[in-house]
Amino acid sequence: NAMMSIGAVAVAPSSPLTVWVGTGEANTRQSSSWGDGVYKSTDGGASWRNMGLVDTKSIGRLVIDPTDPNIVYVAAQGHLWGPNAERGVFKTADGGRTWKKVLYVDENTGATDLVIDPANPQVLYAATYQRQRRTWGFNGGGPGSGIYKTTDGGATWTKLTAGLPAGDKGRIGLALYAADPKVVYATVQAHGTDNGIYRTLDAGATW
């Protein structure tokens, strides 16, 4: 199969021959190519197998548990040209045989970024992004965009708001400081002077 675009690649830290690829252009443009889900290789990329999530269309990030290569999280943006339900954060605990949608905002909002705490892989931060392209223009933002945190491996999520811009936001990018995982940076598209880079020093409680 020929795949036009790749949105994310991840190597399992505890099993370097295990590689995951998320398909679909991760950056939204007028002519973004879409994909058909996630692929997995267990031989360092020599052979690949589609592991599902076919209707996600665009995958922004893959995160693999640092100690267990069978636990994988996928940040999926969903259809660009219309609403669909297969978007948000998905998790597998069995190497991709089964998937659970663990974070879902609505049919117009997907997940665009994801970071994991290497010291405690039960802790993850996810960025959601509301966006839709139409023939006459692009709506890149809305109330669906935000930052969420889980401390139980995706079972429950809390929306983080203290210090972050209120109102509609656009795309958000995340970076976690591995040497001190309480420190997380976020690039936030927002109105006026609220647009910029935010930092938390207390694991997301305040920004």
Side-chain angles (χ1 to χ4, degrees), residues 95-146:
R97 282 192 293 278
T98 60
W99 293 93
K100 185 176 181 191
K101 184 160 60 175
V102 292
L103 177 62
Y104 179 68
V105 177
D106 59 49
E107 62 181 9
N108 296 306
T109 304
T112 189
D113 209 353
L114 196 57
V115 290
I116 191 167
D117 181 343
N120 179 7
Q122 293 293 300
V123 175
L124 296 96
Y125 300 83
T128 59
Y129 182 29
Q130 180 174 332
R131 56 92 165 108
Q132 190 173 124
R133 180 166 288 290
R134 304 199 186 240
T135 50
W136 61 85
F138 175 62
N139 178 17
S145 295

Side-chain angles (χ1 to χ4, degrees), residues 120-205:
N120 179 7
Q122 293 293 300
V123 175
L124 296 96
Y125 300 83
T128 59
Y129 182 29
Q130 180 174 332
R131 56 92 165 108
Q132 190 173 124
R133 180 166 288 290
R134 304 199 186 240
T135 50
W136 61 85
F138 175 62
N139 178 17
S145 295
I147 302 175
Y148 293 80
K149 179 185 180 182
T150 179
T151 57
D152 52 18
T156 59
W157 296 82
T158 303
K159 189 174 185 179
L160 307 179
T161 56
L164 291 168
D168 290 359
K169 289 172 281 296
R171 186 168 176 172
I172 297 168
L174 299 173
L176 182 142
Y177 181 43
D180 181 3
K182 293 193 298 294
V183 179
V184 182
Y185 289 85
T187 60
V188 180
Q189 279 185 328
H191 293 290
T193 55
D194 286 340
N195 192 63
I197 298 176
Y198 290 77
R199 180 181 71 174
T200 178
L201 300 175
D202 53 17

Side-chain angles (χ1 to χ4, degrees), residues 41-52:
S41 173
T42 53
D43 52 17
S47 62
W48 295 90
R49 197 164 137 226
N50 187 300
M51 303 305 292

Side-chain angles (χ1 to χ4, degrees), residues 2-76:
M3 180 48 57
M4 289 178 68
S5 60
I6 300 295
V9 179
V11 178
S14 61
S15 176
L17 290 179
T18 301
V19 186
W20 285 79
V21 162
T23 65
E25 171 62 56
N27 298 311
T28 300
R29 300 175 60 89
Q30 283 91 333
S31 56
S32 296
S33 302
W34 56 84
D36 64 349
V38 289
Y39 288 78
K40 176 186 180 183
S41 173
T42 53
D43 52 17
S47 62
W48 295 90
R49 197 164 137 226
N50 187 300
M51 303 305 292
L53 304 183
V54 171
D55 205 33
T56 54
K57 296 299 184 191
S58 172
I59 292 171
R61 192 75 67 200
L62 292 163
V63 168
I64 305 172
D65 186 293
T67 57
D68 186 348
N70 287 312
I71 298 177
V72 182
Y73 300 86
V74 173

